[in-house]
Amino acid sequence: MNLHTEKVVKLTMVTVGSWLVAALVFFPIFWMILTSFKTELNAFSSPPSLFFWPTLENYQVVFERSDYFRYAWNSVVISFVSSIMAMVIGLPAAYAMAFYPTARTQGVMLWMLSTKMLPPVGVLVPIYLLSRDTGLLDTRTGLVIIYTLINLPIVIWMIYTYFKDVPKDILEACRMDGASLWQEIRHVLVPITMGGLSSTFLLSLILSWNEAFWSLNLTASSAAPLTALIASYSSPEGLFWAKLSAASTLAVAPILVFGWISQKQLVRGLTFGAVK
Amino acid sequence: MNYSKKSWLRLTALAAGVACTSAALAETITIGTVNNGDMIRMQGLASEFEAANPGISLDWVILEENVLRQRLTTDIAANSGQFDVMTIGMYETPIWGANGWLEPMDNLPASYDEADLFPSVKAGLSTDGQLYALPFYGESSMTYYRKDLFEQAGLSMPAEPTWDQVREFAVALHDPANEQYGICLRGKAGWGENMALVTTMANAFGGRWFDQEWNAQLESPEWKNAVNFYVDLLGNYGPPGASSNGFNENLALFNTGKCGMWVDATVAGSFVTDDSQSQVSDQVGFAAAPSQVTEKGSGWLWAWALAIPVSSDAKEAAQKFVTWATSKEYSALVAERHGIAAIPPGTRVSTYENQAYLDAAEFAGMTLTQMRKANPDDSTLEPSPYTGVQFVAIPGFSGFATAVGQQVSGALAGSSTVDRALANANTVVNREMRRAGYQN
Amino acid sequence: MSQLSRNARAARFLVAPSVLLLLAWMTVPLAMTLYYSTVNFNLTIPGPRNFVGFENYIFFFTDPSFFAGMSNTIVLVGATLLITVVLGTLIAVLIDNPFPGRSLVRILLISPFFIMPTVNALVWKNLLMNPVSGFFAFLSKSVGMTPIDWFTDVPMLSIIIIVSWQWLPFAILILMTAMQSLDQEQLEAARIEGAGLVAVFIHVTLPHLARPLAVVVMIETIFLLSIFAEIFTTTGGGPGTQTTTLAYLIYSQALLQYDVGMASAGGIVAVVLANIVAFFLIRVVGKSLAGE
């Protein structure tokens, strides 16, 4: 009996605690979404209004004024393609470094990470001039290439970490069975590290989606992603909080929904106990 | 039917001619613009232009001011040709015009009536007498005040107040317990944010950015008086968090009834008198921007204008567009669709000779007065080597003036004394000027 | 036997593409930046680009805000790391065991990372932290306290809060996924032996999380060192130089002055400094990374 009540108490505490923390962390986003349904005057009122007549006028304005679907499509294409490419190029590299480390592996890993240490601001003009000369300004291709290269070090690092977690015995077991490299990767490694691979892909997706430096400086109108949409609603003259909230909600919605769906993958974790 | 060879040839030639012309006219022009209300309206009305010019289609890139400026500057300096029409201000136009980066605006049609443009605005957008951008809307600064609060307190605002008088009013109206603040002013750091206002204050107190040898004058007694005054006024009789308040924040404060007075851009006039945005729309009075020892440079001058970079590949089409968007016909179109008070202000004299406009827009009279007074070539008490009222039209200004703005907002926030802030600011400015080769 | 060595050789080929790509990606911009840092190149001042040697670097180092930039960067990165790592670990442990609504809680916890940094900053600055009409002001006034003037009185703390909120989900995501692979048997064994919650945490959970924590620290450091969007949107580096970081300094050179020479010099300086930081960081957490 005692053990049972202890468990129930623990469960309640964990549940309440988790919900509280989640609510606190999510609150600013909730407030932003709420504001997107207020009129501009309401959005800035003090005290802030919790109950009000909701209006869709802000969303209307965003759809009328900006070509939302073009921006959204650009964001989707650029983020997904660059993330897929980063995974495709990064996975083999992470594999090699995790399972066949050489003396230089550590050095290579660190060097890869150091490519990210140059602040983008410092290298803006050289890259801009390079893009101009190769005709990649304002193209989705240009952004895809840059994002793949930007995210590659992170992707490799993270996959490397998850690969390192796989117990050696499993791989040895399948190698003893004569499996080729490809079979080893496809049938054993990937399913086991699926959780980690999914979160890596999701991470790369988010980083590309929210990347607001290159996407603003290297595009004009054709390849502009959702970050440009946001930039057209921040700080004009006059009141704009409600409209900005609406635009932000629209910009975040696709990726939030996608993240929600991919939760299942994250959950489908490892079952180490079962393997033994 | 037997068509002669000749008529076949004529027919083919005609068909080819038509195909060629329409192909030649099917151009896309990319327009980079700010996300201010008047520009958004322009975008909304652009379908009229496209209908009248079937061969031209418009592509819009709308960004907030700072991002747009970076984007356009990078584009034009690197000659990338991504933009055909650029929305730039009085700061960039003379510099870029002098660099030969902009198409000169000659050969304007007679119906455009170049003589109708405000002389000061035209001068601000020209170099060596050559106009490089067509003004879209212009502004100066003025004092907004709450007629009801003034009446309650038994105060009366003169048409041309001094800063000392403004301070007296602020002291009388300041009631923080009831969320009523004597005066709201810009405090957010930025060359176009707090420094626009502070520069006009410094001008009014008799100061200038540089002497004739391009030495920074930020530690002069005039600047010290002005900035001390500003820090005292806004710090003690202004809203909390003033050092992060820019135009928008102050507009929101004024519109929700929290400011007794507000000195800022004349374009705010249309926002504060708009009932859909303002809770005090019928209580707003207008007065000149305050002077002190002089009136020179006390009200600023700014215009957003449309220019065509030389790197554009669709110059003719772009020219058609910019002429349309800044013409009298466009103003009439706006009046028709959005009401006469929505006409882009501050560019044409004829707008202000239109009685209907003056009646519909209460702020128009004061706007006109202020714009007439502003003179970018003569904005300081002592002679100065630069043009610009609230800015200095040299390339490095946007950088070091923002640094100065940071120092001033730091003094306002109380994290440093005014003297130390100005000393730091002066050092920074002199450093940059030396590097840019202005000082020998 | 031969399968093993065949695999090993194949593996080396596998690494090649990434290495080559990154080599090109890093060398070209780095070389260009190095070149520009020795030249007087200002975008808005047309004219000959002359070689000026170290002048740009000297100018960058003698910038009065340079030391403030360095110290602010260290404070920002250090504080954010501390907050996100500590809270991230605690939260990951908290939600590790199933409870009703766990999936929803997980998605809520990760959401801040989905928001664009600029939007994030604007929401915090205007809707929450505004001392007149922000939500926090409302809360303070309802309990009778004067609202905190966030960006005037505690600008650095405000930025740290905003950035930590944005990066906490990242730490939670990595650690939460890593917790999945924690051997349940080990945990059970420890509990059966009578170890209390804290002891289990210290002796079983933490060592397991060592490597992911190291990754979180490394990756966050890299990103945090070049943060400037949030600062740009809220305080503009001020008041004074209280929130000017190295990245913001470079930004003000590159995109306010358009002085490409200075910005490039600043970029090289930032790379050198970041490498130094990484070197020390590896010393501290490196064992967890390479180990096993």
Side-chain angles (χ1 to χ4, degrees):
Chain A
M1 269 318 103
N2 232 353
L3 195 61
H4 180 75
T5 16
E6 188 188 306
K7 273 200 160 175
V8 169
V9 167
K10 228 173 133 201
L11 186 64
T12 333
M13 279 186 11
V14 165
T15 313
V16 169
S18 305
W19 274 100
L20 198 62
V21 170
L24 280 176
V25 168
F26 190 70
F27 179 72
I29 302 179
F30 164 73
W31 196 245
M32 178 187 86
I33 300 180
L34 201 69
T35 309
S36 70
F37 292 106
K38 298 181 179 175
T39 60
E40 290 288 2
L41 259 187
N42 249 337
F44 206 80
S45 69
S46 107
S49 44
L50 201 53
F51 299 107
F52 53 91
W53 287 118
T55 165
L56 282 178
E57 69 185 25
N58 301 307
Y59 288 96
Q60 237 183 326
V61 168
V62 173
F63 278 114
E64 269 171 18
R65 211 201 279 186
S66 341
D67 195 352
Y68 173 71
F69 291 106
R70 177 169 55 126
Y71 289 116
W73 181 243
N74 282 336
S75 276
V76 168
V77 168
I78 295 171
S79 308
F80 272 86
V81 175
S82 64
S83 299
I84 293 175
M85 282 184 54
M87 295 289 287
V88 163
I89 302 175
L91 198 143
Y95 175 84
M97 290 194 285
F99 298 116
Y100 301 98
T102 68
R104 281 183 307 166
T105 306
Q106 175 95 321
V108 170
M109 297 281 301
L110 284 177
W111 169 80
M112 279 188 181
L113 214 51
S114 74
T115 63
K116 290 199 67 59
M117 289 178 188
L118 189 59
V121 205
V123 83
L124 168 66
V125 175
I127 298 287
Y128 180 85
L129 295 175
L130 210 60
S131 310
R132 178 197 63 177
D133 296 334
T134 50
L136 287 176
L137 268 186
D138 200 22
T139 56
R140 288 196 286 249
T141 320
L143 276 185
V144 164
I145 295 177
I146 292 193
Y147 285 0
T148 310
L149 293 172
I150 287 181
N151 291 328
L152 199 55
I154 310 279
V155 166
I156 295 180
W157 265 82
M158 287 189 49
I159 301 183
Y160 170 83
T161 314
Y162 293 121
F163 278 0
K164 270 286 200 203
D165 258 353
V166 176
K168 293 228 153 135
D169 338 24
I170 300 190
L171 292 176
E172 263 171 31
C174 82
R175 246 173 258 152
M176 300 255 249
D177 289 345
S180 75
L181 187 63
W182 176 239
Q183 286 174 328
E184 183 187 320
I185 291 184
R186 185 156 167 249
H187 296 288
V188 179
L189 196 56
V190 168
I192 290 184
T193 52
M194 195 44 126
L197 291 177
S198 309
S199 34
T200 307
F201 181 72
L202 185 64
L203 185 66
S204 169
L205 206 63
I206 297 175
L207 289 174
S208 303
W209 191 272
N210 287 342
E211 204 290 318
F213 185 74
W214 296 113
S215 61
L216 283 180
N217 282 298
L218 294 181
T219 64
S221 53
S222 344
L226 285 171
T227 46
L229 178 71
I230 299 295
S232 69
Y233 282 94
S234 39
S235 343
E237 281 178 347
L239 298 180
F240 65 99
W241 310 128
K243 289 196 261 298
L244 177 67
S245 303
S248 311
T249 310
L250 283 174
V252 169
I255 192 108
L256 208 58
V257 167
F258 180 76
W260 174 230
I261 295 176
S262 66
Q263 261 293 292
K264 314 247 173 70
Q265 294 294 69
L266 287 172
V267 171
R268 192 162 39 112
L270 324 161
T271 50
F272 272 107
V275 173
K276 287 282 167 7
Chain B
M1 283 278 193
N2 237 346
Y3 291 150
S4 70
K5 213 177 181 181
K6 219 169 174 192
S7 38
W8 268 119
L9 275 173
R10 243 183 258 140
L11 203 60
T12 328
L14 186 63
V18 171
C20 281
T21 353
S22 38
L25 279 183
E27 290 181 282
T28 312
I29 53 176
T30 310
I31 306 171
T33 180
V34 205
N35 52 0
N36 292 344
D38 291 287
M39 278 61 162
I40 303 291
R41 243 175 250 138
M42 169 172 67
Q43 184 198 16
L45 295 171
S47 50
E48 298 280 324
F49 175 81
E50 283 177 312
N53 295 277
I56 308 181
S57 77
L58 307 176
D59 233 353
W60 295 86
V61 177
I62 305 185
L63 297 168
E64 69 112 344
E65 185 178 332
N66 295 309
V67 179
L68 182 78
R69 188 170 282 120
Q70 289 161 21
R71 194 68 191 83
L72 294 181
T73 310
T74 323
D75 180 274
I76 209 175
N79 226 20
S80 332
Q82 297 258 290
F83 293 93
D84 301 297
V85 174
M86 293 186 169
T87 308
I88 56 181
M90 262 186 182
Y91 172 63
E92 297 87 5
T93 316
I95 301 174
W96 294 2
N99 285 347
W101 291 344
L102 299 173
E103 284 289 313
M105 294 289 172
D106 326 317
N107 305 325
L108 295 167
S111 60
Y112 187 78
D113 199 358
E114 229 180 295
D116 188 30
L117 301 174
F118 271 113
S120 53
V121 170
K122 213 170 146 197
L125 295 172
S126 318
T127 317
D128 291 334
Q130 170 68 55
L131 185 65
Y132 280 103
L134 298 180
F136 185 67
Y137 77 78
E139 65 180 44
S140 176
S141 56
M142 69 159 107
T143 312
Y144 301 93
Y145 66 97
R146 291 274 301 284
K147 292 193 285 201
D148 52 339
L149 294 180
F150 267 66
E151 226 181 276
Q152 272 172 27
L155 304 168
S156 152
M157 171 72 84
E160 295 188 340
T162 63
W163 279 106
D164 282 332
Q165 285 173 317
V166 165
R167 189 176 181 283
E168 278 170 31
F169 298 143
V171 175
L173 294 174
H174 191 58
D175 186 10
N178 292 323
E179 273 194 355
Q180 188 183 302
Y181 308 105
I183 186 165
C184 297
L185 295 173
R186 293 188 186 186
K188 181 174 170 192
W191 69 270
E193 286 280 13
N194 66 345
M195 285 321 288
L197 178 75
V198 173
T199 306
T200 55
M201 282 181 83
N203 290 342
F205 275 69
R208 53 188 172 158
W209 270 89
F210 297 104
D211 65 11
Q212 297 286 67
E213 279 79 47
W214 293 102
N215 296 313
Q217 299 294 302
L218 302 180
E219 287 192 280
S220 62
E222 293 84 16
W223 268 87
K224 287 200 174 170
N225 287 341
V227 178
N228 270 309
F229 187 91
Y230 165 81
V231 168
D232 165 68
L233 178 63
L234 188 55
N236 294 323
Y237 307 105
S243 63
S244 349
N245 287 345
F247 177 84
N248 283 316
E249 289 79 6
N250 283 326
L251 176 68
L253 285 168
F254 192 88
N255 278 358
T256 45
K258 300 197 169 60
C259 306
M261 293 177 284
W262 183 32
V263 180
D264 214 304
T266 53
V267 287
S270 60
F271 297 131
V272 301
T273 50
D274 178 357
D275 343 326
S276 69
Q277 291 188 45
S278 165
Q279 292 172 358
V280 297
S281 53
D282 45 357
Q283 296 297 341
V284 187
F286 310 96
S291 58
Q292 185 73 348
V293 307
T294 173
E295 210 185 37
K296 277 198 196 177
S298 59
W300 69 60
L301 187 66
W302 180 259
W304 281 110
L306 300 174
I308 305 176
V310 298
S311 51
S312 156
D313 53 0
K315 293 197 190 120
E316 261 183 53
Q319 183 76 25
K320 284 208 186 96
F321 178 76
V322 304
T323 325
W324 171 83
T326 56
S327 63
K328 291 186 191 172
E329 290 77 38
Y330 175 76
S331 294
L333 182 62
V334 174
E336 196 189 301
R337 298 289 178 82
H338 296 281
I340 195 163
I343 295 183
T347 48
R348 288 176 171 277
V349 178
S350 56
T351 314
Y352 293 87
E353 285 167 351
N354 182 342
Q355 191 58 41
Y357 179 68
L358 293 175
D359 291 337
E362 306 165 46
F363 48 89
M366 187 52 68
T367 308
L368 180 65
T369 321
Q370 287 295 106
M371 293 210 58
R372 283 233 159 92
K373 278 199 269 184
N375 185 353
D377 289 320
D378 182 23
S379 59
T380 54
L381 190 60
E382 310 263 334
S384 50
Y386 54 86
T387 51
V389 179
Q390 78 279 19
F391 57 83
V392 173
I394 57 177
F397 183 79
S398 52
F400 62 70
T402 302
V404 173
Q406 276 174 25
Q407 291 296 326
V408 171
S409 86
L412 178 65
S415 63
S416 107
T417 62
V418 172
D419 281 346
R420 187 147 51 92
L422 286 177
N424 290 341
N426 213 48
T427 316
V428 168
V429 177
N430 274 330
R431 216 172 85 99
E432 296 290 342
M433 294 301 281
R434 228 171 291 132
R435 180 170 167 79
Y438 280 91
Q439 296 173 356
N440 298 321
Chain C
M1 238 42 40
S2 88
Q3 182 63 36
L4 195 61
S5 57
R6 234 184 290 148
N7 283 356
R9 238 181 314 150
R12 247 161 263 144
F13 281 119
L14 290 175
V15 193
S18 332
V19 175
L20 285 172
L21 269 177
L22 283 175
L23 198 66
W25 170 241
M26 180 183 159
T27 336
V28 173
L30 194 62
M32 288 175 87
T33 309
L34 267 171
Y35 167 68
Y36 283 127
S37 68
T38 57
V39 157
N40 72 335
F41 184 4
N42 185 316
L43 267 185
T44 54
I45 303 180
R49 319 286 187 213
N50 306 316
F51 178 73
V52 291
F54 282 114
E55 200 183 285
N56 288 328
Y57 289 94
I58 296 176
F59 205 70
F60 189 76
F61 279 118
T62 52
D63 191 318
S65 337
F66 180 70
F67 280 113
M70 295 255 295
S71 63
N72 285 330
T73 310
I74 295 176
V75 167
L76 177 63
V77 175
T80 310
L81 273 180
L82 198 63
I83 296 178
T84 50
V85 163
V86 168
L87 281 182
T89 314
L90 291 176
I91 295 180
V93 170
L94 178 69
I95 62 172
D96 187 42
N97 293 308
F99 61 87
R102 184 160 80 136
S103 315
L104 185 60
V105 165
R106 271 205 280 236
I107 193 79
L108 288 182
L109 284 173
I110 300 186
S111 348
F113 202 57
F114 290 107
I115 310 286
M116 257 162 244
T118 5
V119 173
N120 175 20
L122 282 171
V123 167
W124 277 86
K125 178 181 181 197
N126 295 294
L127 300 181
L128 298 176
M129 283 177 164
N130 187 304
V132 176
S133 55
F135 195 75
F136 291 167
F138 165 64
L139 287 178
S140 322
K141 279 186 263 191
S142 348
V143 292
M145 300 190 323
T146 43
I148 307 178
D149 200 346
W150 291 93
F151 291 106
T152 313
D153 298 327
V154 283
M156 201 40 161
L157 180 64
S158 314
I159 305 262
I160 292 176
I161 293 178
I162 297 177
V163 175
S164 305
W165 182 78
Q166 175 110 48
W167 282 90
L168 185 62
F170 173 74
I172 295 180
L173 181 66
I174 309 264
L175 294 172
M176 179 174 86
T177 321
M179 286 292 287
Q180 304 277 44
S181 62
L182 182 55
D183 201 350
Q184 292 296 327
E185 289 185 358
Q186 255 195 309
L187 277 178
E188 281 305 313
R191 240 172 262 140
I192 289 177
E193 285 181 31
L197 267 176
V198 179
V200 169
F201 179 68
I202 296 181
H203 295 291
V204 180
T205 320
L206 273 186
H208 176 83
L209 289 180
R211 197 186 358 261
L213 275 174
V215 172
V216 168
V217 168
M218 288 293 298
I219 294 183
E220 274 196 19
T221 310
I222 301 295
F223 275 104
L224 294 175
L225 280 175
S226 39
I227 279 198
F228 84 95
E230 288 89 336
I231 302 175
F232 168 66
T233 323
T234 52
T235 60
T241 50
Q242 285 180 25
T243 54
T244 305
T245 59
L246 215 52
Y248 190 80
L249 213 52
I250 299 175
Y251 159 78
S252 69
Q253 286 303 328
L255 290 173
L256 285 179
Q257 300 267 37
Y258 300 105
D259 191 336
V260 179
M262 270 271 275
S264 308
I268 301 290
V269 170
V271 171
V272 169
L273 285 173
N275 272 300
I276 296 178
V277 168
F279 180 70
F280 282 111
L281 217 53
I282 291 296
R283 290 252 136 140
V284 172
V285 298
K287 286 178 229 102
S288 329
L289 282 169
E292 247 215 294

